[in-house]
Amino acid sequence: MRDTYHDQLDAIVQDLFQMSQLVARGVTQATAALTRADLALAEQVIEGDDAINALYRGVETQAFDLLARQQPVAGDLRVLVTSLRIVVDLERAGDYVVHLAKIARRRHPASAVPDALRGTVLEMGQTAQQILDKTGTVIATRDLELAAELEVDDDAMDALQKRLFTLVLQDGGQDIEAAIDATLAGRYYERLADHAVAVGHRVTYMVTGEHAEV
Amino acid sequence: MRDTYHDQLDAIVQDLFQMSQLVARGVTQATAALTRADLALAEQVIEGDDAINALYRGVETQAFDLLARQQPVAGDLRVLVTSLRIVVDLERAGDYVVHLAKIARRRHPASAVPDALRGTVLEMGQTAQQILDKTGTVIATRDLELAAELEVDDDAMDALQKRLFTLVLQDGGQDIEAAIDATLAGRYYERLADHAVAVGHRVTYMVTGEHAEV
């Protein structure tokens, strides 16, 4: 039988995994809300952030309690300290999902995404969802090869953001509001991916004790 | 005489204070680079991020060493765990300063800031610098009233961002590239202020053991 202490450590990792899944689902829904001008879906995504924030607070409390009561060393200490960092990245990723949904809500019943940008935004949403699914797997399995892949996935997201900005510029300034929204949305997707990469770095540190470059 | 352990704790807090000062100076310089199209200053700001990143790594290493070797409890444990969170906020704030400087560099020799937006951008820069100076004082003094003020300062920054976006919209779409740059710059200033507020929350937690709402 496992001891309670290690069960609690596992519970923290499980919560982090669940957060990544909620964010992954959220970004898919927020992208649909954005590209289809779906107000009800946007509201649902915005309300869904409460569950992510509740997990955030739970992980923080549990990790801190274990640090204080068990005084862990070496590997267990790294798991706890790293969890306290990962949970911030995932909570923040959840906030970006909410930001995306809020763009959809603000522009409803109009669509925040002009036709010329829709395909690229859909690709960004799909890429973000895949990255966050992979992040969840990295958290659950501590697979460092998969963690390293997140860097490559992030490059793909950066390229999509560049393409989006190029399309916004080509669109020729008929609609500044759409240009602002697309710029912000592009930035939110890119930041989501950045936080996934950060989680990958932190899991790598958790396993190896070696810091990735900032 | 102080013991070495508490000297090391103090050294960490001192490094966090220094980071906040470097970011405060950086945002003033980045704002000048943006509004005056000053390439040399932009380059200087971008290079200056190395010092912030070096402090980041130093704090992380020191805090982790103390956690592992001293197994601190209660207040000292909170200081260390909180320092590991604050250092991430400050490193990230430094990245936003670099992002601002990179906008100036990308648009040089043109100015990234149209005349109609210059005053608002200068105000955002000044507000960010004041917020970061205050953040440094909060770190050094643990003054919770001052920490609470950061929320109000952040509201002022949010209002400036709204004004900036309104001006971009009024500008009527002659220059989409300037609209994108102004949107991103506004977002970077706002995020800088958000990280300062987060530091205020973390210092409050450090002192009281009570979490602020996410």
Side-chain angles (χ1 to χ4, degrees), chain A residues 53 56-57 60 64 67-68 71-73 77-78 81 84-85 88 91-92 96 99 165 168-169 172-173 176-177 179-180 183-184 187-188 191 202 205 211 213-214, chain B residues 53 56-57 60 64 67-68 71-73 77-78 81 84-85 88 91-92 96 99 165 168-169 172-173 176-177 179-180 183-184 187-188 191 202 205 211 213-214:
Chain A
N53 289 341
Y56 168 82
R57 283 189 292 271
E60 191 154 80
F64 198 76
L67 274 174
Q71 311 211 331
V73 291
L77 177 60
R78 275 211 305 273
V81 172
L84 282 167
R85 311 287 284 271
V88 174
E91 190 274 328
R92 188 71 212 142
Y96 284 114
H99 289 337
F165 285 5
V168 171
L169 286 172
I176 289 272
E177 195 171 2
I180 290 179
T183 301
L184 289 175
R187 174 87 191 146
Y188 298 150
R191 291 295 301 147
R202 299 195 200 291
Y205 171 71
H211 284 293
E213 278 299 293
V214 176
Chain B
N53 289 342
Y56 168 82
R57 284 189 291 271
E60 192 154 79
F64 198 77
L67 274 173
Q71 312 211 330
V73 292
L77 176 60
R78 276 210 304 274
V81 172
L84 282 167
R85 312 287 284 270
V88 173
E91 190 274 330
R92 188 73 212 139
Y96 284 114
H99 289 338
F165 285 5
V168 171
L169 286 171
I176 290 272
E177 195 170 2
I180 291 179
T183 302
L184 289 174
R187 175 84 191 148
Y188 298 150
R191 291 296 300 146
R202 299 196 200 290
Y205 171 70
H211 285 291
E213 277 301 292
V214 176

Side-chain angles (χ1 to χ4, degrees), chain A residues 120 124 155-168 182-191 194, chain B residues 184 188:
Chain A
T120 304
M124 293 184 90
D155 291 342
M157 184 64 98
D158 289 347
L160 283 167
Q161 191 193 18
K162 282 210 180 73
R163 191 213 295 172
L164 186 73
F165 285 5
T166 303
L167 290 171
V168 171
T183 301
L184 289 175
R187 174 87 191 146
Y188 298 150
Y189 283 114
E190 187 237 336
R191 291 295 301 147
D194 285 347
Chain B
L184 289 174
Y188 298 150

Side-chain angles (χ1 to χ4, degrees), chain A residues 23-38 41-46 94 96-105 113 121-122 125 189 192:
Chain A
V23 177
R25 195 177 62 188
V27 77
T28 301
Q29 292 178 323
T31 303
L34 262 181
T35 52
R36 301 199 306 247
D38 184 333
L41 195 54
E43 298 281 10
Q44 192 183 321
V45 171
I46 292 162
Y96 284 114
V97 169
V98 169
H99 289 337
L100 288 168
K102 282 187 174 170
I103 294 178
R105 184 171 70 178
V113 180
V121 170
L122 282 170
Y189 283 114
L192 268 165

Side-chain angles (χ1 to χ4, degrees), chain B residues 124-135:
Chain B
M124 294 184 89
Q126 191 179 60
T127 303
Q129 179 245 309
Q130 286 167 348
I131 287 175
L132 283 157
D133 278 340
K134 193 176 286 185
T135 303

Side-chain angles (χ1 to χ4, degrees), chain B residues 75 78-79 82-83 86 142 201-209:
Chain B
R78 276 210 304 274
V79 171
T82 307
S83 295
I86 290 175
R142 303 186 191 177
H201 287 167
R202 299 196 200 290
V203 171
T204 303
Y205 171 70
M206 189 194 275
V207 173
T208 66

Side-chain angles (χ1 to χ4, degrees), chain A residues 4-52:
Chain A
T4 313
Y5 169 50
H6 281 98
D7 284 348
Q8 286 171 316
L9 269 183
D10 287 349
I12 287 173
V13 174
Q14 184 58 39
D15 280 355
L16 294 175
F17 175 71
Q18 203 191 329
M19 285 177 82
S20 67
Q21 288 197 304
L22 288 175
V23 177
R25 195 177 62 188
V27 77
T28 301
Q29 292 178 323
T31 303
L34 262 181
T35 52
R36 301 199 306 247
D38 184 333
L39 180 62
L41 195 54
E43 298 281 10
Q44 192 183 321
V45 171
I46 292 162
E47 282 160 24
D49 195 43
D50 287 347
I52 295 171

Side-chain angles (χ1 to χ4, degrees), chain B:
Chain B
M1 233 178 93
R2 305 290 307 280
D3 57 306
T4 313
Y5 168 50
H6 281 98
D7 283 348
Q8 286 170 317
L9 269 183
D10 287 348
I12 286 173
V13 174
Q14 184 58 38
D15 281 354
L16 294 175
F17 175 70
Q18 203 191 330
M19 285 177 81
S20 67
Q21 289 197 304
L22 288 175
V23 178
R25 195 178 61 187
V27 77
T28 301
Q29 293 178 323
T31 303
L34 262 181
T35 52
R36 300 199 307 248
D38 185 332
L39 181 62
L41 194 55
E43 298 281 10
Q44 191 182 322
V45 171
I46 293 162
E47 282 160 24
D49 195 42
D50 287 347
I52 294 170
N53 289 342
L55 283 163
Y56 168 82
R57 284 189 291 271
V59 166
E60 192 154 79
T61 304
Q62 291 160 47
F64 198 77
D65 281 0
L66 284 183
L67 274 173
R69 288 190 293 107
Q70 302 286 345
Q71 312 211 330
V73 292
D76 287 350
L77 176 60
R78 276 210 304 274
V79 171
L80 283 173
V81 172
T82 307
S83 295
L84 282 167
R85 312 287 284 270
I86 290 175
V87 77
V88 173
D89 284 304
L90 294 175
E91 190 274 330
R92 188 73 212 139
D95 286 346
Y96 284 114
V97 169
V98 169
H99 289 338
L100 288 168
K102 283 185 174 171
I103 294 178
R105 185 172 69 177
R106 190 174 65 236
R107 293 297 295 277
H108 183 82
S111 171
V113 180
D115 291 345
L117 307 181
R118 186 162 296 118
T120 303
V121 170
L122 282 169
E123 265 191 78
M124 294 184 89
Q126 191 179 60
T127 303
Q129 179 245 309
Q130 286 167 348
I131 287 175
L132 283 157
D133 278 340
K134 193 176 286 185
T135 303
T137 307
V138 167
I139 289 169
T141 64
R142 303 186 191 177
D143 180 333
L144 299 192
E145 282 185 35
L146 215 55
E149 279 182 30
L150 289 170
E151 306 260 7
V152 181
D153 299 335
D154 185 45
D155 291 342
M157 183 65 97
D158 290 347
L160 283 167
Q161 191 193 17
K162 282 211 180 72
R163 192 213 293 169
L164 185 74
F165 285 5
T166 304
L167 290 171
V168 171
L169 286 171
Q170 284 172 356
D171 211 31
Q174 294 97 343
D175 185 348
I176 290 272
E177 195 170 2
I180 291 179
D181 283 341
T183 302
L184 289 174
R187 175 84 191 148
Y188 298 150
Y189 283 115
E190 187 235 337
R191 291 296 300 146
L192 266 165
D194 285 347
H195 283 286
V197 170
V199 171
H201 287 167
R202 299 196 200 290
V203 171
T204 303
Y205 171 70
M206 189 194 275
V207 173
T208 66
E210 300 289 324
H211 285 291
E213 277 301 292
V214 176

